[in-house]
Amino acid sequence: LISGSENGTNKFWDIANGSLQTTLSAHSGAIDSLAISSDGKTLATSGTDRTLKLWDIPSRQLTQTLDSNIDSQGKRILGKAGY
């Protein structure tokens, strides 16, 4: 089980015994959504810091960060961070 927190961390839990396995610093603000890929290998998180982050679940490593920007029509645009 993976949860996202208001403090910007992802937490990996062992559901068999309820213990916390790993805590990762993910976002500089609260995590407002997360999703796991159908193959169970990738975690996507978005936060109030206006970034979308992709994580490799088996290694618990960040693989990509995308910035979210709002265009002049109020539409969200995603692109690689720093570009």
Side-chain angles (χ1 to χ4, degrees):
L1 174 68
I2 304 170
S3 63
S5 302
E6 285 188 7
N7 68 0
T9 60
N10 292 326
K11 295 183 179 187
F12 291 73
W13 302 87
D14 182 333
I15 58 172
N17 61 25
S19 66
L20 177 62
Q21 299 295 303
T22 306
T23 300
L24 302 175
S25 294
H27 293 270
S28 61
I31 294 174
D32 54 18
S33 63
L34 58 84
I36 298 172
S37 63
S38 61
D39 64 6
K41 294 181 181 179
T42 302
L43 170 68
T45 61
S46 67
T48 57
D49 62 0
R50 298 174 53 157
T51 62
L52 173 80
K53 297 190 178 194
L54 301 178
W55 303 83
D56 178 69
I57 291 175
S59 69
R60 293 175 169 68
Q61 296 295 311
L62 178 65
T63 60
Q64 191 169 16
T65 299
L66 301 171
D67 280 330
S68 173
N69 297 303
I70 306 297
D71 70 10
S72 61
Q73 297 176 343
K75 295 178 184 173
R76 183 166 281 201
I77 302 168
L78 291 174
K80 285 191 176 182
Y83 293 85

